[in-house]
Amino acid sequence: MPARCWFVVLALAACASACTQAQPPADVFTPAHASTASAVQDFFLIRPAATQPIPFPHKTHIEKAMLKCTETCHESVVKGPSAGIPSVKTCMICHDSIATDRPLIMKITNDYYKKGVDLPWQRVYGFTPEVHVRFNHAPHIRASVDCATCHGDIAHQTVAERNVNHTMGFCVDCHKAKKASNDCLTCHF
């Protein structure tokens, strides 16, 4: 009897070792984490800082070019839940003829636009499925909530950074201040 137990223990150990070493192909969905650290971070809802493909100069576009965020790059913010992330085609509307000699614009043109590849932007904000929050930008825009309330002073940033931790307390306090509904179903599903 004890020999069978050792066999089972050794078989399970070998299987566990093989399972942790094998990485699934990139086109296969798996809820598994690449490391224990990423599993712990996910469990505690700790999101790593977003790493963008290019250091997008918000300051240049907002202050110097006088572009409006909701009219040029994030136009879907007034229509629905997501602000939208601009495609490389959006960049090329202007940069097909403006600042074409700048290294960053040349990189966008050659590495992305000419190859038909979109910029792999990473979301700076967002809720994980585990928190059961459905956030919709449109009602906040209609209520004249300034973007800086949640996103900070983007006009003075280069790359967008997480400036506010969107905790339940932060949202509840804002809803109280604006006299908006604090009913659970307003945000949670």
Side-chain angles (χ1 to χ4, degrees), residues 89-183:
K89 290 178 184 177
T90 302
C91 301
M92 296 311 291
I93 290 170
C94 298
H95 287 298
D96 197 25
S97 59
I98 297 172
T100 57
D101 60 333
R102 302 254 172 97
L104 189 59
I105 304 306
M106 291 168 67
K107 177 180 173 62
I108 293 169
T109 304
N110 296 325
D111 293 356
Y112 299 101
Y113 185 67
K114 285 184 179 177
K115 293 179 181 177
V117 176
D118 223 342
L119 290 159
W121 298 116
Q122 289 186 3
R123 289 203 168 278
V124 176
Y125 288 99
F127 295 101
T128 61
E130 294 83 10
V131 297
H132 303 289
V133 170
R134 60 171 182 222
F135 180 83
N136 191 334
H137 277 92
H140 292 84
I141 297 296
R142 285 193 300 271
S144 300
V145 175
D146 185 35
C147 299
T149 304
C150 295
H151 296 286
D153 190 5
I154 294 289
H156 290 96
Q157 293 180 23
T158 299
V159 178
E161 300 169 358
R162 205 173 304 141
N163 294 294
V164 172
N165 283 326
H166 289 133
T167 63
M168 187 169 169
F170 173 82
C171 297
V172 167
D173 289 346
C174 189
H175 275 227
K176 282 180 185 175
K178 300 274 185 187
K179 297 186 179 8
S181 174
N182 259 329
D183 182 77

